[in-house]
Amino acid sequence: MSKRIKLTEEGARILENMLGHFVAETTGVYAALVSSSDGHALAQWSQSELHGSKLSAMSSSLLALGESLSRESGQQACQYVIVETLDGFLVDLRVGERMVLTVLARKDGSLGLLLSACHQLAEELSSRIRKE
Amino acid sequence: MVRRITLGACGLDENDRLVLQSLINILELRSEVRWDFSSEGPGEISIVDLDSESGRRLWGELCRQPERVAIAYGGQAEDAAYRLEKPLRSRSVLQLLQDISRERYVTEAESGEGQSGPATAELSGKQFFQQLIDLFESGTWALRDGDRMLLIDGPRKRAWLRGPVDVLAGMARKSFARLQVLPIEAAALETAARSLDPISAPALIWYFARHHSLALQADLANRRYRLRRWPNLRQLGAGPDDARFCALLSRRWIAFTDLELVAGTRDAIGLLNALAAIGLLQVRPEERNPATAGTVVSGGLFSRIRKRLGVGA
Amino acid sequence: MSELKFIFTGPPGVGKSTAIAAVSEFAPVVTDVLATDELSDIKAQTTAALDFGEITLDDGEKVRLYGTPGQRRFSFMWEILIEGGLGLVILVDNSRPDPLADLDIYLENFSGFIRDTGAVIGVTRMESHPQPDLDDFAAHLERHGLALPVLEVDIRRREDVVQLLDVLMMTCEPA
């Protein structure tokens, strides 16, 4: 059985819609991307210009590193990799086994709420993809 | 007039004799004298190995003959005017022989004139390989050295060997003139070849050059060397160390003395011979003020890493 | 003083992680993720960030071995990983459609690093895929003006990986 991920146009449109909703409704969030676990860009929604393929590859690396770091430190499964900057936050987390969600946010809202919203979106994306 | 000096090796082991013989070629191109080599016994200048019985015996005799210069090598010799440390290093041998020959044998008038042409020893080394390569041009040949035998089918660029490839090393160390080279009928060659092991022409050239004890490169010590292309070491049947030595030559211009430090004198000469013989060596004259090379610290570092990995010297 | 660091690179699936595991004194740190493209037909996982292994010298000093991700989209990791490196091992998989073109990707992307330090090329799976042969690789490198060492290797064998590192160190050896 092939393990390839190939989104149909319809599938990509559904993902983008979900990302669009999320960006519109979550305080501070201005962009969200879904990538494959190995760094291919699958879908994105952004209020500004983004280099999606670059961010996808880097998110894949960063999340993989975060997971390795958790493992090597003897901690349980890595939930998020969070980068805090002067301007805001970058959050990476898994969507199921084979995808990565990347969320970019300004510092308007609280980090706790942001993480919780990200987690919920990942669950929704994951169950939606299982259905597709 | 060109001065001729005989250099005698007294009591030296086989390896040291071969090193000396190679160095003579280098020296001849650098100095105003022609050198002859006597592998057993004294010359006008003699290098005497005081660790050997025959060397110690000769030492007393030589020191009573003031017209002869004896250089002590190994052992204890308070009465030695000249000494060389073990193991033989080309740089110190060349320096000492050059100094002695200037000091004792070459007058100022002589040194200015009569520059010798290409050295005969060096030519004979080149001739050796030219002849070997010529054998591959035409005809079928049998090379004999005692019961060692090499068959060459020139037109088809094929060769066969009796015994393991090592027998070539012995043949290669001989001067070509002392090898028997006989034409052989094509049919006889076919018959004889059946009981022998085939060897490819490039591997044969490589092997001969690699084990030939005389430098084929003119003015060996005053040049720098670099690989033009990485050799197919497996196809050439090269030993594992050759990959390491070639690697040294793969990225920068290396002086003979630097290669010698890593590979030893004989392997350094043999490797340059072999790379030149298969056409993969670039050569350029030594610059007068060579730029000091990279990080000295890493020399020791790499040897520690090798030790940990369990390889190399 | 520079870090004691060597980098392994090469196309996905060539065995960079395996090579590091063959010589590292602990199970290497890996950053494997599930492959989701054509690679997944031959290999379930791929390196997304780096592999990391280590060798301790007698005086306690550490030699660090890093593997890069193979895919060009991860080239930002290549830049990060070569920082301070002493030399590069390029592994090439002879069973892929165009091994010489694969080699070019790494020669180009690491050209500055190769010029400043040193590199060695290990060709894998030659037994089942003898073409291009070692002469083809050497001639190809010569066209780039390079005479880098090219060795046939089975990266599962420790001695083959050790030989790659040994030869690499000779190319970096100060003249």
Side-chain angles (χ1 to χ4, degrees):
Chain A
M1 191 189 84
S2 175
K3 305 280 174 56
R4 295 195 192 194
I5 293 183
K6 261 205 178 131
L7 281 186
T8 57
E9 255 179 54
E10 173 70 6
R13 204 178 49 76
I14 293 170
L15 280 188
E16 270 162 22
N17 279 341
M18 290 174 75
L19 295 176
H21 264 276
F22 176 75
V23 171
E25 289 177 1
T26 316
T27 312
V29 172
Y30 64 93
L33 301 84
V34 174
S35 330
S36 66
S37 53
D38 56 350
H40 291 287
L42 296 175
Q44 70 178 74
W45 184 276
S46 175
Q47 293 174 349
S48 57
E49 194 80 0
L50 270 191
H51 200 309
S53 54
K54 258 191 199 169
L55 288 186
S56 292
M58 292 175 134
S59 297
S60 160
S61 300
L62 194 59
L63 192 53
L65 265 180
E67 288 170 345
S68 292
L69 183 58
S70 313
R71 223 170 22 244
E72 294 294 328
S73 320
Q75 296 205 4
Q76 295 296 310
C78 170
Q79 300 289 295
Y80 308 91
V81 171
I82 303 153
V83 178
E84 181 171 0
T85 70
L86 272 181
D87 303 327
F89 300 102
L90 298 88
V91 180
D92 287 312
L93 64 159
R94 286 258 174 253
V95 178
E97 273 193 329
R98 317 186 68 80
M99 284 190 265
V100 177
L101 170 64
T102 303
V103 173
L104 281 58
R106 286 179 292 273
K107 273 196 167 159
D108 302 356
S110 91
L111 180 58
L113 288 177
L114 176 65
L115 294 182
S116 147
C118 290
H119 181 70
Q120 200 182 334
L121 173 64
E123 294 275 297
E124 284 167 18
L125 286 166
S126 177
S127 65
R128 187 62 200 250
I129 286 156
R130 266 200 299 274
K131 268 188 240 160
E132 286 297 315
Chain B
M1 199 193 96
V2 177
R3 182 71 168 87
R4 293 197 85 98
I5 302 175
T6 307
L7 178 71
C10 303
L12 271 65
D13 65 23
E14 163 91 6
N15 190 43
D16 285 344
R17 279 204 307 274
L18 289 168
V19 169
L20 271 188
Q21 199 171 356
S22 303
L23 291 177
I24 294 294
N25 292 342
I26 300 170
L27 194 64
E28 191 150 90
L29 290 153
R30 279 175 146 188
S31 68
E32 301 79 13
V33 295
R34 287 283 184 84
W35 293 84
D36 295 315
F37 184 67
S38 162
S39 64
E40 295 289 346
E44 287 151 288
I45 299 178
S46 297
I47 296 184
V48 186
D49 189 341
L50 296 177
D51 291 336
S52 74
E53 203 181 307
S54 60
R56 282 194 296 274
R57 211 169 43 235
L58 274 166
W59 179 253
E61 276 173 41
L62 286 169
C63 285
R64 283 192 295 275
Q65 301 177 3
E67 76 279 9
R68 291 194 156 165
V69 182
I71 302 169
Y73 175 51
Q76 295 292 318
E78 281 83 25
D79 54 342
Y82 303 100
R83 284 196 58 88
L84 280 172
E85 297 301 320
K86 281 196 166 182
L88 279 183
R89 284 276 169 223
S90 64
R91 198 194 290 267
S92 48
V93 176
L94 290 175
Q95 194 59 51
L96 185 58
L97 291 182
Q98 222 161 7
D99 290 351
I100 296 174
S101 63
R102 286 227 176 89
E103 213 173 281
R104 315 248 326 208
Y105 297 99
V106 182
T107 65
E108 269 179 44
E110 279 174 336
S111 69
E113 59 182 76
Q115 290 289 328
S116 57
T120 49
E122 196 254 336
L123 267 185
S124 73
K126 280 217 176 111
Q127 281 166 351
F128 180 104
F129 281 92
Q130 195 48 56
Q131 286 182 46
L132 188 61
I133 290 162
D134 286 349
L135 294 183
F136 276 99
E137 293 299 317
S138 63
T140 43
W141 306 91
L143 279 70
R144 277 176 176 281
D145 169 22
D147 50 355
R148 297 159 172 159
M149 182 156 76
L150 175 68
L151 296 177
I152 292 179
D153 177 355
R156 295 196 202 159
K157 307 276 179 283
R158 293 184 304 171
W160 295 267
L161 199 60
R162 175 183 291 157
V165 73
D166 297 7
V167 308
L168 281 175
M171 296 172 96
R173 286 192 195 114
K174 288 213 157 184
S175 104
F176 203 75
R178 281 192 287 152
L179 274 182
Q180 274 187 290
V181 183
L182 310 163
I184 180 174
E185 295 282 328
L189 178 129
E190 285 296 333
T191 315
R194 270 182 222 139
S195 60
L196 306 182
D197 297 315
I199 178 169
S200 77
L204 183 66
I205 301 285
W206 170 274
Y207 209 88
F208 259 101
R210 181 71 181 78
H211 292 91
H212 191 58
S213 51
L214 302 179
L216 302 178
Q217 298 294 306
D219 207 5
L220 195 68
N222 287 330
R223 307 278 167 110
R224 281 188 174 247
Y225 303 91
R226 185 173 180 164
L227 274 185
R228 187 165 64 73
R229 180 205 286 197
W230 185 258
N232 191 337
L233 293 171
R234 163 180 281 217
Q235 195 188 61
L236 295 167
D241 277 343
D242 284 348
R244 311 178 61 233
F245 303 152
C246 285
L248 195 65
L249 296 164
S250 70
R251 283 189 60 246
R252 60 187 113 210
W253 292 97
I254 298 290
F256 176 73
T257 42
D258 290 323
L259 182 61
E260 186 191 25
L261 269 181
V262 175
T265 307
R266 271 180 72 180
D267 279 337
I269 291 173
L271 187 76
L272 294 179
N273 279 348
L275 290 169
I278 60 171
L280 296 188
L281 193 67
Q282 303 183 83
V283 185
R284 76 163 199 215
E286 176 73 281
E287 285 157 23
R288 282 300 112 196
N289 300 307
T292 45
T295 46
V296 177
V297 61
S298 60
L301 166 68
F302 289 146
S303 69
R304 281 187 293 135
I305 298 176
R306 283 199 185 89
K307 194 172 155 215
R308 179 65 185 76
L309 292 169
V311 286
Chain C
M1 96 168 249
S2 68
E3 290 182 87
L4 310 189
K5 171 174 171 182
F6 294 103
I7 297 107
F8 288 71
T9 195
V14 70
K16 301 176 289 291
S17 308
T18 312
I20 291 174
V23 287
S24 173
E25 56 203 19
F26 52 69
V29 174
V30 294
T31 55
D32 284 349
V33 294
L34 292 172
T36 68
D37 50 20
E38 64 280 2
L39 184 65
S40 66
D41 296 341
I42 52 166
K43 191 167 174 272
Q45 295 192 311
T46 188
T47 300
L50 54 86
D51 296 310
F52 171 67
E54 209 169 65
I55 299 166
T56 311
L57 303 183
D58 287 349
D59 58 5
E61 205 159 6
K62 309 278 188 189
V63 180
R64 297 194 270 156
L65 308 171
Y66 285 89
T68 73
Q71 297 87 342
R72 203 200 285 259
R73 63 181 177 278
F74 291 117
S75 60
F76 66 93
M77 282 307 302
W78 302 352
E79 300 301 314
I80 293 170
L81 291 173
I82 59 172
E83 188 61 41
L86 291 179
L88 181 70
V89 177
I90 303 176
L91 296 175
V92 180
D93 179 352
N94 233 31
S95 72
R96 282 168 54 94
D98 191 348
L100 295 176
D102 287 346
L103 176 59
D104 282 345
I105 293 175
Y106 303 94
L107 290 179
E108 270 165 40
N109 279 278
F110 291 97
S111 61
F113 184 72
I114 292 170
R115 193 183 53 238
D116 297 341
T117 62
V120 59
I121 291 140
V123 186
T124 70
R125 301 188 180 102
M126 282 198 99
E127 224 156 82
S128 54
H129 297 78
Q131 297 299 325
D133 65 16
L134 292 179
D135 279 326
D136 297 328
F137 277 99
H140 187 75
L141 286 163
E142 190 186 0
R143 286 192 285 276
H144 286 268
L146 297 169
L148 298 177
V150 192
L151 307 173
E152 176 181 353
V153 289
D154 178 347
I155 34 76
R156 293 165 302 183
R157 286 157 46 102
R158 181 177 186 276
E159 55 267 40
D160 283 19
V161 182
V162 167
Q163 198 199 4
L164 277 176
L165 288 173
D166 188 27
V167 166
L168 174 60
M169 285 187 277
M170 291 302 280
T171 76
C172 312
E173 204 87 46

